[in-house]
Amino acid sequence: MADGNSETKTSNQMWGGRFASGPDAIMEEINASIGFDKKLYAQDIRGSIAHATMLAHQGIISAEDKDKIVHGLNTILSEIESGQFEFSRRLEDIHMNIEARLATLIGPAAGRLHTARSRNDQVALDFRLWVKEELQRTEKALTGLIAAFLDRAEEHAETVMPGFTHLQTAQPVTFGHHCMAYVEMFGRDRSRVRHAIEHMDESPIGAAALAGTGFPIDRHMTASALGFAGPTRNSIDTVSDRDFALEFLSIAAIAATHMSRLAEEIVIWSTPQFGFIRLSDAFSTGSSIMPQKKNPDAAELVRAKTGRINGSLIALLTVMKGLPLAYSKDMQEDKEQVFDAAESLELAVAAMTGMVRDMTIRADRMKAAAGSGYSTATDLADWLVREAGLPFRDAHHVTGRAVALAEQKACDLADLSLEDLQSIHPSITAKVFDVLTVEASVASRTSFGGTAPNEVRKQIAWWRARN
Ligand code: ARG
């Protein structure tokens, strides 16, 4: 752990005896980030190569030293990737682990790499590059999830199911339309991802500790070498800012919330009582005691991971909220939250994509449920407005009486006789039965964005052109 610093031991009479190897063991433990920031090795090396190349181009270091540095860094990259690199906690973090190894490999030239930079702008760069790449992965993953929904929506553009409000049967809709609601949600998530990429597309390197540097560096050169649109404009903000991480976490939290709602629907739909879907064996588990069971564990875990992702957002907001400008070591706590949320999000999107693609839609069960619960009552009211000229409020009242009568007779609205209906309102004719079926109901909702199959197909086409 520590190097048995006797000076520290004697200098602290208060608690020195409690720590066999001296209090610096605890200091090392609380201070070190290598356990998690080693994930940034590739970004750190890329950043250092760009920085060294720029330093040489500007005549700040020699071309010879630059070549040694770049060669050494590439060696380190392959050492890490082949599992040969020994990370040391004594060297605190990924930046110092790599720099120390570079010194061993190439000697004094290694010491020139850190000219005109600080770990403050270095970590801001590494982490930003990582988050940017993660956002690009998220964009792809969401595109896959959207594609899965588009396919199911197309397949089920005409499949009728009950639409719910308050989880009470409201009006018939199509399963395709319901799928397309998720396409809208994940589509918004994806556009938030794209905006965030644009937003954070500025290079921090060269801000140095906080004030910039007196060396004649070219921040535009490093920015473009690293694929950024340009350099950040304020060196103090640059080393203080973790908005890119907070934006990632906010986007992740909203997307996870969407997935959690979907997970909840999958859990409900797959119960024997609803029976709207059957999960594939690949995305469900059995019970060790009840042989009949098929549990939606993947959906439940996605629902639960939302708590974790939301927790990460709150954790980082809380870390940042009291920090004076510029850098404080508190900010080292940014990475684990983002790494954990990213892993959870990736897994959740992948599991959801699999479930959506694999689940069996039980159209017969959906249709039976769509017709129950007087789901076409609004259609009857609309018919009375259209065909009998009633004001909507009166039509609503008349329909309410028809529902009460059907309830009394324990039948559906469509099963009431014409005489029954006419006893409630004399202007009702046999034509009313055309709108009382669930198919007629959904086909009639042709307003833009409505549930009519042709309308849903238009929305599918709109999204296909953009996916
Ligand atoms: N490991 C540190 C972090 O993740 C790197 C920056 C250290 N900067 C400093 N001034 N001590 O934030």
Side-chain angles (χ1 to χ4, degrees):
M1 293 241 285
D3 35 6
N5 188 335
S6 60
E7 204 188 280
T8 321
K9 248 192 223 168
T10 48
S11 69
N12 199 319
Q13 302 293 324
M14 294 296 287
W15 59 73
R18 166 76 180 70
F19 301 95
S21 49
D24 57 353
I26 293 301
M27 181 57 207
E28 187 184 297
E29 190 168 346
I30 195 169
N31 202 33
S33 53
I34 188 64
F36 48 87
D37 69 14
K38 60 179 161 208
K39 222 183 169 87
L40 300 175
Y41 73 90
Q43 291 75 15
D44 195 73
I45 290 172
R46 264 178 71 203
S48 288
I49 291 176
H51 182 66
T53 307
M54 179 279 292
L55 290 177
H57 185 263
Q58 298 297 103
I60 301 168
I61 64 172
S62 71
E64 221 186 331
D65 284 345
K66 184 260 291 180
D67 289 342
K68 280 190 202 158
I69 289 169
V70 171
H71 187 261
L73 288 169
N74 281 323
T75 306
I76 294 170
L77 182 64
S78 46
E79 285 177 354
I80 295 176
E81 293 194 327
S82 62
Q84 289 164 33
F85 192 94
E86 256 187 62
F87 292 101
S88 153
R89 203 173 72 173
R90 286 202 48 216
L91 293 166
E92 245 185 86
D93 56 26
I94 187 64
H95 323 295
M96 300 212 285
N97 268 266
I98 289 177
E99 200 181 315
R101 177 69 184 142
L102 189 64
T104 312
L105 285 174
I106 68 167
R112 300 196 185 278
L113 171 61
H114 214 53
T115 315
R117 77 171 184 189
S118 144
R119 272 191 297 156
N120 296 349
D121 57 340
Q122 193 178 354
V123 73
L125 169 67
D126 295 1
F127 196 30
R128 208 182 265 240
L129 283 171
W130 194 91
V131 172
K132 191 175 159 187
E133 285 161 27
E134 182 60 28
L135 283 167
Q136 284 157 347
R137 283 190 286 274
T138 307
E139 184 183 2
K140 254 204 209 113
L142 287 172
T143 297
L145 180 54
I146 291 169
F149 268 118
L150 286 173
D151 289 348
R152 297 320 300 258
E154 199 155 291
E155 199 185 319
H156 292 284
E158 315 232 353
T159 303
V160 180
M161 72 179 278
F164 300 94
T165 60
H166 314 266
L167 198 57
Q168 306 286 330
T169 302
Q171 293 174 346
V173 296
T174 62
F175 183 65
H177 194 210
H178 199 99
C179 287
M180 291 306 290
Y182 282 103
V183 167
E184 295 289 335
M185 291 150 85
F186 295 123
R188 283 193 297 275
D189 292 329
R190 190 177 54 179
S191 77
R192 271 185 280 274
V193 167
R194 289 175 179 159
H195 282 139
I197 293 174
E198 259 177 58
H199 229 162
M200 62 172 294
D201 203 16
E202 293 173 342
S203 169
I205 194 74
L210 81 163
T213 173
F215 290 100
I217 59 171
D218 184 349
R219 294 193 58 210
H220 290 86
M221 181 178 171
T222 40
S224 82
L226 292 165
F228 287 107
T232 54
R233 280 166 308 281
N234 181 301
S235 60
I236 298 174
D237 174 54
T238 302
V239 294
S240 316
D241 167 40
R242 290 296 181 271
D243 288 6
F244 58 94
L246 289 170
E247 277 194 38
F248 169 74
L249 290 173
S250 323
I251 292 167
I254 297 173
T257 299
H258 291 157
M259 280 188 283
S260 188
R261 296 179 76 172
L262 171 59
E264 175 67 9
E265 297 208 307
I266 287 176
V267 169
I268 294 173
W269 291 344
S270 62
T271 57
Q273 288 75 11
F274 265 75
F276 285 6
I277 59 169
R278 211 178 277 117
L279 287 172
S280 71
D281 290 353
F283 285 98
S284 46
T285 59
S287 157
S288 55
I289 176 165
M290 296 165 282
Q292 84 283 10
K293 288 199 78 179
K294 202 165 180 188
N295 295 327
D297 293 38
E300 293 166 286
L301 287 164
V302 167
R303 195 169 56 183
K305 292 216 180 280
T306 307
R308 223 166 135 145
I309 294 172
N310 291 353
S312 291
L313 171 61
I314 299 300
L316 187 55
L317 283 169
T318 311
V319 164
M320 297 305 294
K321 71 174 267 297
L323 298 188
L325 307 188
Y327 177 85
S328 296
K329 196 60 174 267
D330 310 51
M331 290 161 72
Q332 179 166 283
E333 293 278 319
D334 54 3
K335 289 165 213 68
E336 284 167 293
Q337 301 302 336
V338 168
F339 292 158
D340 187 78
E343 198 179 312
S344 298
L345 186 71
E346 278 182 38
L347 209 50
V349 179
M352 274 305 173
T353 308
M355 272 184 277
V356 169
R357 285 216 174 274
D358 276 20
M359 66 191 180
T360 305
I361 307 307
R362 302 178 68 187
D364 53 330
R365 298 277 310 201
M366 286 187 178
K367 189 182 165 180
S372 70
Y374 310 108
S375 66
T376 55
T378 319
D379 298 275
L380 174 55
D382 287 349
W383 187 90
L384 287 164
V385 170
R386 231 176 23 246
E387 306 293 328
L390 266 63
F392 183 77
R393 283 294 160 216
D394 296 346
H396 186 283
H397 190 76
V398 170
T399 305
R401 285 170 50 215
V403 169
L405 182 62
E407 222 162 25
Q408 197 190 316
K409 298 198 161 193
C411 69
D412 283 335
L413 279 178
D415 300 328
L416 289 174
S417 67
L418 185 59
E419 295 76 60
D420 285 338
L421 288 166
Q422 282 174 340
S423 75
I424 292 165
H425 202 279
S427 54
I428 296 179
T429 69
K431 277 203 300 189
V432 78
F433 291 106
D434 292 348
V435 304
L436 294 183
T437 67
V438 287
E439 285 83 0
S441 170
V442 298
S444 73
R445 308 246 187 260
T446 53
S447 55
F448 185 83
T451 206
N454 281 336
E455 199 49 44
V456 172
R457 287 196 184 97
K458 273 186 221 162
Q459 305 305 337
I460 296 172
W462 190 90
W463 276 103
R464 286 245 188 252
R466 283 160 185 78
N467 204 42

